[in-house]
Amino acid sequence: MSPIAIEVDSPPQSRTFMRRFAGAPLPWIMPVIVVIGIFYLYPVIDVFRLSFTNATLIGDTQDYTLGSIVNALSSPQLPDILWATLIFVGGSVIGQQILGLAVAVTVIRGEKRGLFGTTILRTTALIAWVVPGIAGGIIWQMLFSEAPYGALNSIFRLMHMPTVAWLSDPAMAPWSTLISNIWRGTAFSMVVMYAALKAIDPSLYEAAEVDGATASQQFFFVTLPQLRAAILVNMILITIQTVNTFDAIITLTGGGPGRATEVISLYVFNIVFRNYDLSGGSVLSVLMLIISLGLAFVYASFLPKEEEQ
């Protein structure tokens, strides 16, 4: 039925109601405001409220106090937790960014030359992305296992090389978690870089070739400047994602040995679900939110302005 037919068949009161709200945006965006308020804004507000209480998972009553904030932020474990988080997030962002860009450039060049295997390479990278974090941790736990059936150490034994204490050495375990997270997150960066590379105007490369630019000069002076916005947006997204990652770590190392791989997201999980300290977990969740927003604002400050584009 056409809109004209609707207007003709509608009763006068219905037409008056539709005309009254036709030019007002609030009724049309109200469902979005309600959904965002219920599913996004309310949990954040409640976490802020809980951080000012002494709430626990097993207690029925709660009082408002600043003691939870003082206790959580003065914990002697917190500096080590933040340092482990910094290493994990910084290494993951750099590794995922570089490998994602390398895979995207390889796929783009392979497609231009019609090389066999570019689709396989792209699909293989995407497989790691769709694997759940828990499953990814189990996969890498089997690869890093120091038992006789451990895949990587078995290869080292065949090559008569010394084995590596991937998960039991406090100095090596953070690198193991870093490798597993880079493996999982590279696919997302590859997708973002692939889309950005496809959007670059080919005439820029044609002009560079006319000027005699080499392949490396085209990459550094044409490709990278054109990818600046995509790189920064990708860094924002994977930083927030990595700060909140704990499922793969809890499966791979459980935060150990000791607390060598216990990042802040896993620390919050342990505080809430093992110590039943809901207020302390809320304080640390707010700290995670501040860290994520702070890093996002830093990245966003380097985004090209409209007049620069």
Side-chain angles (χ1 to χ4, degrees), residues 159-281:
M159 298 174 67
H160 303 287
M161 295 174 61
T163 59
V164 178
W166 297 100
L167 303 176
S168 61
D169 185 354
M172 191 64 207
W175 294 103
S176 302
T177 58
L178 192 58
I179 292 171
S180 68
N181 195 57
I182 291 174
W183 168 81
R184 185 173 175 230
T186 293
F188 180 80
S189 297
M190 185 271 290
V191 172
V192 175
M193 293 298 109
Y194 180 83
L197 287 168
K198 282 283 189 181
I200 297 178
D201 189 352
S203 62
L204 296 176
Y205 293 104
E206 295 172 359
E209 289 180 359
V210 171
D211 292 338
T214 62
S216 60
Q217 289 173 331
Q218 291 181 27
F219 178 76
F220 286 105
F221 296 107
V222 177
T223 303
L224 283 184
Q226 294 296 315
L227 294 179
R228 179 183 170 189
I231 290 173
L232 290 169
V233 171
N234 186 47
M235 289 180 69
I236 293 173
L237 296 176
I238 61 180
T239 298
I240 295 173
Q241 182 182 20
T242 306
V243 169
N244 291 281
T245 297
F246 80 96
D247 48 359
I249 298 177
I250 198 172
T251 310
L252 182 61
T253 64
R259 286 186 153 168
T261 58
E262 189 173 6
V263 295
I264 190 167
S265 55
L266 181 57
Y267 186 51
V268 171
F269 177 86
N270 291 332
I271 289 290
V272 175
F273 294 103
R274 293 182 177 172
N275 297 347
Y276 309 113
D277 186 359
L278 188 58
S279 59

